[in-house]
Amino acid sequence: MYRIRFHGRGGQGIKTASRILGSAFFNEGFEVQDAPVYGAERRGAPMFAYVRAARAPIQERGIITRPDLVIIADESLVPVPAANVLQGVTDRSVLLINSAESPATWKERLKRIGTIVTLPVSAEITDRAELPYIGVMCAGAAACLTGVIRCAALEDAIRTELGAHGEAVVTQNLKQAMAAYDAMQAQAGLVIEGGAMAATDYADPEWVELQFEAARIAAPDVFAPGTSVQVKTGVWRSMRPVIDYELCHRCAWVCSTFCPDSAIHVRADGAPEIDYDHCKGCLICATVCPPHAIRVVPERDAQAEETEGAKA
Ligand code: SF4
Ligand code: SF4
């Protein structure tokens, strides 16, 4: 059975990618399961989707914890603990990373001796949540890496899954998917099917065992909002809102009220201030600000500016 996991961000077409790959397997006569798993809401948030494909009925259920192939559509997810892209990866797993960096660099960085393949899709793109063809390209590359999906089966799957969007969309996606498929030709068949798993093969998920404590200590004690302050949802952000204080009218309540995460505080002088540890980058504040005092900057550029500023 092939066990394949896609990791990406909300908005990158990862759910569709898993459906395309599942349909392509189906076209080749496989039994298939595919399902997306979302965390919290909105574009940019880490999510994953998985595909199982086998020549016999699939009895396994649930999240794939021992993947044969992991596709990382967004390399910025690798260091994000919540994305957990390396969960269950072993030396026999293949990692396909959308990155302009070489497999050797990634091997060194991840300290892995398994197989890493890179697909440089997004080097020139700034808003990662809007990579237009990343999902379909990952599906095309993955199809080739399995070695059991022909171009015709992939094309039919893309037509099935995207046909409702019209011929122009299908044509563009086909072009990108086939380019990614061709780019992987040298590694066709690299992914090896895993064997059947028995219940005795089950490995505990990577959870944290909490010590049992008396109810007096361990019972929930939530009296106010903000108890999730330790969850730095700012890592989800692909675009950053930046307040231009020259243009800001200090109307105060508009942006801070509309921010769904209470990530804009009003300072004592009446000026708004964004808490970037918890701003998810939904950009509602930029939309509602009456004088357009909040500009939108690609997160990558903003971080580069910060690094430069710190050096200066
Ligand atoms: S809504 Fe715009 S003008 Fe009003 S406080 Fe926020 S940034 Fe300033
Ligand atoms: S982009 Fe603006 S509205 Fe959205 S979470 Fe960040 S500060 Fe709040």
mmCIF file of all heavy atoms in Angstrom, residues 243 248-252 254-255 272 289-291 293-294, ligand 1:
data_model
loop_
_atom_site.group_PDB
_atom_site.id
_atom_site.type_symbol
_atom_site.label_atom_id
_atom_site.label_comp_id
_atom_site.label_asym_id
_atom_site.label_seq_id
_atom_site.Cartn_x
_atom_site.Cartn_y
_atom_site.Cartn_z
ATOM 1 N N ILE A 243 1.444 49.066 10.167
ATOM 2 C CA ILE A 243 0.728 50.344 10.339
ATOM 3 C C ILE A 243 1.639 51.504 9.954
ATOM 4 O O ILE A 243 2.787 51.587 10.405
ATOM 5 C CB ILE A 243 0.264 50.519 11.804
ATOM 6 C CG1 ILE A 243 -0.718 49.401 12.171
ATOM 7 C CG2 ILE A 243 -0.380 51.891 12.007
ATOM 8 C CD1 ILE A 243 -1.047 49.340 13.641
ATOM 9 N N CYS A 248 -2.196 56.999 10.000
ATOM 10 C CA CYS A 248 -3.175 56.513 10.985
ATOM 11 C C CYS A 248 -3.834 57.684 11.714
ATOM 12 O O CYS A 248 -3.148 58.583 12.202
ATOM 13 C CB CYS A 248 -2.449 55.609 11.983
ATOM 14 S SG CYS A 248 -3.475 55.176 13.391
ATOM 15 N N HIS A 249 -5.172 57.656 11.809
ATOM 16 C CA HIS A 249 -5.936 58.735 12.459
ATOM 17 C C HIS A 249 -6.113 58.513 13.951
ATOM 18 O O HIS A 249 -6.819 59.267 14.600
ATOM 19 C CB HIS A 249 -7.343 58.829 11.853
ATOM 20 C CG HIS A 249 -7.359 59.303 10.449
ATOM 21 N ND1 HIS A 249 -8.498 59.238 9.659
ATOM 22 C CD2 HIS A 249 -6.387 59.850 9.683
ATOM 23 C CE1 HIS A 249 -8.216 59.721 8.450
ATOM 24 N NE2 HIS A 249 -6.941 60.090 8.445
ATOM 25 N N ARG A 250 -5.579 57.390 14.451
ATOM 26 C CA ARG A 250 -5.798 57.027 15.868
ATOM 27 C C ARG A 250 -7.284 56.854 16.166
ATOM 28 O O ARG A 250 -7.755 57.193 17.240
ATOM 29 C CB ARG A 250 -5.277 58.088 16.838
ATOM 30 C CG ARG A 250 -3.791 58.357 17.055
ATOM 31 C CD ARG A 250 -2.795 57.649 16.330
ATOM 32 N NE ARG A 250 -1.438 58.029 16.721
ATOM 33 C CZ ARG A 250 -0.440 58.081 15.872
ATOM 34 N NH1 ARG A 250 -0.627 57.838 14.583
ATOM 35 N NH2 ARG A 250 0.766 58.375 16.292
ATOM 36 N N CYS A 251 -8.019 56.417 15.167
ATOM 37 C CA CYS A 251 -9.445 56.198 15.461
ATOM 38 C C CYS A 251 -9.585 55.022 16.431
ATOM 39 O O CYS A 251 -10.602 54.865 17.073
ATOM 40 C CB CYS A 251 -10.233 55.953 14.182
ATOM 41 S SG CYS A 251 -9.717 54.507 13.288
ATOM 42 N N ALA A 252 -8.524 54.238 16.523
ATOM 43 C CA ALA A 252 -8.359 53.221 17.563
ATOM 44 C C ALA A 252 -9.316 52.036 17.498
ATOM 45 O O ALA A 252 -8.867 50.904 17.475
ATOM 46 C CB ALA A 252 -8.418 53.854 18.945
ATOM 47 N N VAL A 254 -11.419 50.911 15.176
ATOM 48 C CA VAL A 254 -11.772 50.203 13.940
ATOM 49 C C VAL A 254 -10.907 48.948 13.761
ATOM 50 O O VAL A 254 -11.390 47.821 13.806
ATOM 51 C CB VAL A 254 -11.657 51.115 12.700
ATOM 52 C CG1 VAL A 254 -11.970 50.321 11.435
ATOM 53 C CG2 VAL A 254 -12.603 52.293 12.816
ATOM 54 N N CYS A 255 -9.605 49.126 13.620
ATOM 55 C CA CYS A 255 -8.759 47.952 13.368
ATOM 56 C C CYS A 255 -8.758 47.010 14.554
ATOM 57 O O CYS A 255 -8.842 45.784 14.405
ATOM 58 C CB CYS A 255 -7.354 48.369 12.990
ATOM 59 S SG CYS A 255 -6.567 49.458 14.196
ATOM 60 N N PRO A 272 -2.676 52.417 17.563
ATOM 61 C CA PRO A 272 -2.790 50.951 17.559
ATOM 62 C C PRO A 272 -1.414 50.299 17.438
ATOM 63 O O PRO A 272 -0.500 50.882 16.865
ATOM 64 C CB PRO A 272 -3.627 50.683 16.310
ATOM 65 C CG PRO A 272 -3.284 51.810 15.396
ATOM 66 C CD PRO A 272 -3.009 53.005 16.262
ATOM 67 N N CYS A 289 -9.423 49.544 7.614
ATOM 68 C CA CYS A 289 -8.859 50.831 8.054
ATOM 69 C C CYS A 289 -9.336 51.954 7.122
ATOM 70 O O CYS A 289 -9.011 51.942 5.922
ATOM 71 C CB CYS A 289 -7.336 50.748 8.042
ATOM 72 S SG CYS A 289 -6.553 52.349 8.310
ATOM 73 N N PRO A 290 -10.076 52.950 7.649
ATOM 74 C CA PRO A 290 -10.643 53.993 6.759
ATOM 75 C C PRO A 290 -9.604 54.749 5.933
ATOM 76 O O PRO A 290 -9.791 54.915 4.727
ATOM 77 C CB PRO A 290 -11.421 54.905 7.720
ATOM 78 C CG PRO A 290 -11.710 54.035 8.899
ATOM 79 C CD PRO A 290 -10.545 53.103 9.032
ATOM 80 N N PRO A 291 -8.489 55.205 6.513
ATOM 81 C CA PRO A 291 -7.536 55.967 5.675
ATOM 82 C C PRO A 291 -6.479 55.088 4.994
ATOM 83 O O PRO A 291 -5.482 55.611 4.497
ATOM 84 C CB PRO A 291 -6.867 56.914 6.682
ATOM 85 C CG PRO A 291 -6.895 56.177 7.961
ATOM 86 C CD PRO A 291 -8.110 55.282 7.931
ATOM 87 N N ALA A 293 -4.293 53.062 6.262
ATOM 88 C CA ALA A 293 -3.019 53.290 6.948
ATOM 89 C C ALA A 293 -2.286 51.993 7.248
ATOM 90 O O ALA A 293 -1.239 52.029 7.881
ATOM 91 C CB ALA A 293 -3.275 54.060 8.250
ATOM 92 N N ILE A 294 -2.861 50.865 6.820
ATOM 93 C CA ILE A 294 -2.180 49.595 7.089
ATOM 94 C C ILE A 294 -1.786 48.987 5.747
ATOM 95 O O ILE A 294 -2.626 48.633 4.935
ATOM 96 C CB ILE A 294 -3.084 48.627 7.882
ATOM 97 C CG1 ILE A 294 -3.512 49.290 9.197
ATOM 98 C CG2 ILE A 294 -2.357 47.314 8.148
ATOM 99 C CD1 ILE A 294 -4.406 48.453 10.070
HETATM 100 S S1 SF4 B 1 -8.251 51.655 11.726
HETATM 101 FE FE1 SF4 B 1 -6.529 52.574 10.614
HETATM 102 S S2 SF4 B 1 -6.654 54.749 11.191
HETATM 103 FE FE2 SF4 B 1 -7.900 53.619 12.652
HETATM 104 S S3 SF4 B 1 -6.473 53.219 14.358
HETATM 105 FE FE3 SF4 B 1 -6.424 51.444 13.015
HETATM 106 S S4 SF4 B 1 -4.689 51.864 11.662
HETATM 107 FE FE4 SF4 B 1 -5.227 53.783 12.595
#
